[in-house]
Amino acid sequence: MNVSEAIRTRRSLGKVKPDAVAQELLEQIIEAGTWAPNHKLTEPWKFFVMQGEGRDVLGNALGDIQAAGAGDTSEDAVVAARESGRTKAYRSPVVIGVAVEPSTDPKVIELEEYGAVFAAIQNMLLQIHELGLGAVWRTGEPCFHNLMNEAFGLNPQDKMLGFLYIGYPDMEPKQGKRQPAASKTVWLNRAADL
């Protein structure tokens, strides 16, 4: 598959088989992430590969965050929240958390560090697709919660930018749709064009 085909055919697949994914494939996925462009070559990404009971780190964090936001601190509610979080972490045989650890160098623009990690995630998603695996990139408020940082040993200035749930596809991908590129493009051939 060439790059153009991979870009156009990759889709988020939220339903995957429970079959294990070989270590060598996971290493290829992570390696693809490390080749993302990044200004000043800071390499601001950090990867957390969770398999088996290792997914409990994510599950417990999701449960703690859910319990903290529920308002109900009864023992039953906390137990239910933790179980709900744990279940979410087990939706695929492998979950890779991808975090940004921005450089503290004052010459580095923090937003560019985030951009580099987002590019790394896209590289990883394309590599996953090329390997015949399926994945979905899950984000949302729990990613950015301080309890998520604590669970993964991240510093306050760091952020978890998402979790890639990976496995062998157990669903047909939906057909992709996009607006025509022309509808989102402004061609500036001279200053008066704007």
Side-chain angles (χ1 to χ4, degrees), residues 129-140:
H129 179 51
E130 195 269 335
L131 292 171
L133 297 165
V136 63
W137 173 14
R138 297 193 185 277
T139 60

Side-chain angles (χ1 to χ4, degrees), residues 39-55:
H39 196 201
K40 306 241 186 242
L41 301 177
T42 59
E43 300 187 42
W45 37 72
K46 187 160 187 177
F47 308 104
F48 298 88
V49 182
M50 295 166 272
Q51 302 174 84
E53 291 179 6
R55 293 170 290 180

Side-chain angles (χ1 to χ4, degrees), residues 29-147:
I29 293 163
I30 293 164
E31 179 76 15
T34 68
W35 285 98
N38 63 110
H39 196 201
K40 306 241 186 242
L41 301 177
T42 59
E43 300 187 42
W45 37 72
K46 187 160 187 177
F47 308 104
F48 298 88
V49 182
M50 295 166 272
Q51 302 174 84
E53 291 179 6
R55 293 170 290 180
D56 281 347
V57 175
L58 173 59
N60 291 337
L62 289 170
D64 289 346
I65 293 165
Q66 193 168 318
D72 185 349
T73 58
S74 69
E75 186 176 334
D76 288 344
V78 171
V79 168
R82 279 183 137 298
E83 185 54 33
S84 174
R86 186 181 173 290
T87 300
K88 289 176 185 173
Y90 278 76
R91 291 185 279 197
S92 68
V94 180
V95 181
I96 300 179
V98 186
V100 61
E101 293 183 324
S103 172
T104 57
D105 183 335
K107 294 178 184 171
V108 174
I109 298 169
E110 184 179 33
L111 189 56
E112 291 181 347
E113 301 285 81
Y114 281 72
V117 178
F118 290 136
I121 291 170
Q122 175 67 352
N123 279 5
M124 295 169 76
L125 289 168
L126 291 171
Q127 183 69 63
I128 289 164
H129 179 51
E130 195 269 335
L131 292 171
L133 297 165
V136 63
W137 173 14
R138 297 193 185 277
T139 60
E141 287 297 323
C143 282
F144 317 125
H145 199 282
N146 63 346
L147 291 175

